[in-house]
Amino acid sequence: MTKAPTRPGNARRSERRRHDREIVALAVPAFGALVAEPLFVLVDSAVVGHLGTPQLAGLGVAAALLTTAVSVFVFLAYGTTAAVARRVGAGDLPAAIRQGMDGIWLALLLGVAVLAVTLPLASWLVELFGASGTAAPHATTYLRVSALGIPAMLMVLAATGVLRGLQDTRTPLYVAIAGFTANAALNVALVYGAGLGIAGSAWGTVIAQCGMAAAYLVVVVRGARRHGASLRPDAAGIRNSARAGVPLLVRTLSLRAVLMIATAMAARLGDAEMAAHQILLSLWSLMAFALDAIAIAGQAIIGRYLGAGDAEGARRACRRMVEWGAASGVVLGALIVLARPLFIPLFTGDPTVRETLLPALLVVALAQPIAGVVFVLDGVLMGAGDGPYLAGAMVVTLAVFAPVALLVPALGGGLTAVWWAMTLMMAVRLVTLGLRTRSGRWIVTGATR
């Protein structure tokens, strides 16, 4: 009997289900790992907060400096994911792991360089940040000790990128959970049990991060030995990883400049506005974790399709992920509106802050569908290795956003106007990334771009 031909509609539905399963399998563990990382600082804050207000203030300053020093190198994860995924798609696992090792060696070198700068300048950096006289000694102590973990932190970023490129987001989730648990236990034991104070909290973080880096290295080394990949540093490979990371570094710095400008403008509006802005930023960051998880899936999936030479498969995967991003944004926006009576009292009881917060909160909710698509397109282009375009697009976005945001206080605008400017920023990103995606110029197949 002749088999009935598959109907186009059934084939499309089957393909969509396959994409959905793959996106969920990668995005859900990635979201868990993303959420686990900020909990390190949360645990430190909870433990150190019982030592006293100066210690907690010092931790806040040092943690902000440390987070900035590490987050600007997030390209170690993003760039490595795309490069490794391409090799996986091409069916060359030894080369994929070799590519990942280049990223890890680069992370180690950068970590040592940042450590060499941070240690002698710790006191000056704390003073530059504006820490009070009572908080500054505690901030300096925490920063100097925790800086010892910077090489491990950057290696964790790169190794996470390796495993994501290998289509494995579960292992990073397990490592993040183990690291968070160890950090919590070590904080209590060293701060109170050993009586080390704020230095004990910093040592707990250093030990936990080193443990996470060691766990990742065990996984990567086993894979390298299994597939016969070299573990030795390769100068040419490290240079190539660094060269590919420069555009993503520019993109990240431009994005951080946007956030800094928005915060500076909110601070000029008054204490109530700044307090409300901080709540909105925290909420925005939480929403970003959910959307970034889909983007991470996009990096891994798109890189693999392009490495396998399947341009049409990459296009179809991109379309499905955009649908996921838009739908997720709509759901998150609705949740913000519907759940506002529940979470706002958790942040503040000040009626002035609440009154300032509410209209800006609605703007944030309205922007979520835009953000959902933007995050996905960002991940798609990263997965394609389209770093130079991403850098240029973000610089253009900053150039549009900065003058608009800077005019808010001058024109008498309030916090809602600041967040309309943030929405404009996301809209510009939507246009620039959308045009690039529609053009198809990002589609470059092969094991390398």
Side-chain angles (χ1 to χ4, degrees):
M1 180 181 291
T2 304
K3 185 178 180 180
T6 303
R7 294 181 179 180
N10 292 336
R12 281 195 296 271
R13 282 192 293 272
S14 177
E15 182 182 57
R16 284 161 66 94
R17 285 195 294 268
R18 178 169 56 82
H19 284 313
D20 291 346
R21 286 193 297 269
E22 194 169 31
I23 292 168
V24 170
L26 290 171
V28 172
F31 174 69
L34 287 169
V35 170
E37 282 299 315
L39 293 178
F40 272 74
V41 176
L42 185 63
V43 167
D44 289 3
S45 299
V47 174
V48 171
H50 291 285
L51 293 174
T53 300
Q55 288 88 340
L56 184 58
L59 171 64
V61 171
L65 287 166
L66 187 67
T67 301
T68 300
V70 173
S71 63
V72 295
F73 296 108
V74 72
F75 69 83
L76 290 166
Y78 294 159
T80 304
T81 297
V84 171
R86 275 185 176 270
R87 299 283 190 179
V88 169
D92 192 349
L93 280 177
I97 295 173
R98 174 66 261 176
Q99 184 89 48
M101 284 305 304
D102 291 336
I104 292 173
W105 280 111
L106 174 62
L108 178 59
L109 293 174
L110 289 173
V112 171
V114 174
L115 172 61
V117 171
T118 304
L119 279 179
L121 296 180
S123 180
W124 177 79
L125 289 170
V126 167
E127 183 180 349
L128 182 67
F129 207 81
S132 68
T134 54
H138 302 294
T140 302
T141 297
Y142 188 93
L143 183 59
R144 280 179 175 156
V145 175
S146 60
L148 298 173
I150 289 176
M153 294 177 192
L154 297 191
M155 290 174 69
V156 165
L157 282 178
T160 301
V162 175
L163 294 179
R164 289 173 181 170
L166 293 171
Q167 317 296 295
D168 176 10
T169 57
R170 289 183 178 273
T171 300
L173 172 61
Y174 300 148
V175 173
I177 292 173
F180 165 72
T181 304
N183 180 59
L186 286 166
N187 261 264
V188 174
L190 296 176
V191 172
Y192 298 112
L196 296 180
I198 194 170
S201 177
W203 278 115
T205 299
V206 170
I207 295 169
Q209 290 288 348
C210 289
M212 291 171 66
Y216 277 122
L217 286 176
V218 168
V219 174
V220 174
V221 168
R222 283 179 179 172
R225 288 177 176 170
R226 186 164 56 249
H227 296 286
S230 173
L231 295 171
R232 295 180 179 178
D234 177 63
I238 294 172
R239 281 197 301 270
N240 289 337
S241 294
R243 193 177 300 115
V246 169
L248 295 180
L249 176 62
V250 172
R251 167 202 167 274
T252 301
L253 290 173
S254 300
L255 182 55
R256 290 200 69 85
V258 165
L259 298 177
M260 289 175 64
I261 291 171
T263 300
M265 294 305 101
R268 292 187 180 186
L269 297 174
D271 290 346
E273 286 80 2
M274 184 59 210
H277 179 73
Q278 183 58 39
I279 294 170
L280 290 171
L281 269 183
S282 300
L283 185 64
W284 194 71
S285 297
L286 180 61
M287 300 300 104
F289 285 139
L291 299 175
D292 203 28
I294 304 173
I296 287 169
Q299 294 171 29
I301 293 169
I302 294 297
R304 192 191 71 230
Y305 272 116
L306 294 179
D310 188 353
E312 185 55 34
R315 287 192 185 92
R316 289 196 296 266
C318 174
R319 283 195 293 269
R320 187 55 180 158
M321 282 183 285
V322 166
E323 292 170 1
W324 266 80
S328 298
V330 170
V331 171
L332 291 174
L335 282 175
I336 290 172
V337 174
L338 295 175
R340 68 188 189 280
L342 299 176
F343 67 77
I344 289 179
L346 297 176
F347 288 101
T348 180
D350 187 328
T352 304
V353 174
R354 289 189 183 188
E355 185 179 347
T356 305
L357 176 66
L358 279 173
L361 185 67
L362 295 178
V363 175
V364 172
L366 288 172
Q368 290 309 300
I370 299 174
V373 177
V374 167
F375 273 72
V376 167
L377 294 180
D378 207 35
V380 165
L381 296 182
M382 282 186 190
D386 205 11
Y389 183 85
L390 287 170
M394 198 61 228
V395 170
V396 169
T397 301
L398 175 60
V400 173
F401 168 80
V404 173
L406 292 171
L407 283 173
V408 169
L411 296 178
L415 185 64
T416 303
V418 171
W419 279 92
W420 275 119
M422 288 286 286
T423 303
L424 170 66
M425 178 270 294
M426 296 302 292
V428 173
R429 293 189 72 193
L430 178 65
V431 171
T432 56
L433 300 183
L435 289 174
R436 182 65 168 184
T437 306
R438 287 177 64 86
S439 74
R441 293 178 183 176
W442 56 279
I443 300 177
V444 179
T445 58
T448 58
R449 183 176 173 88

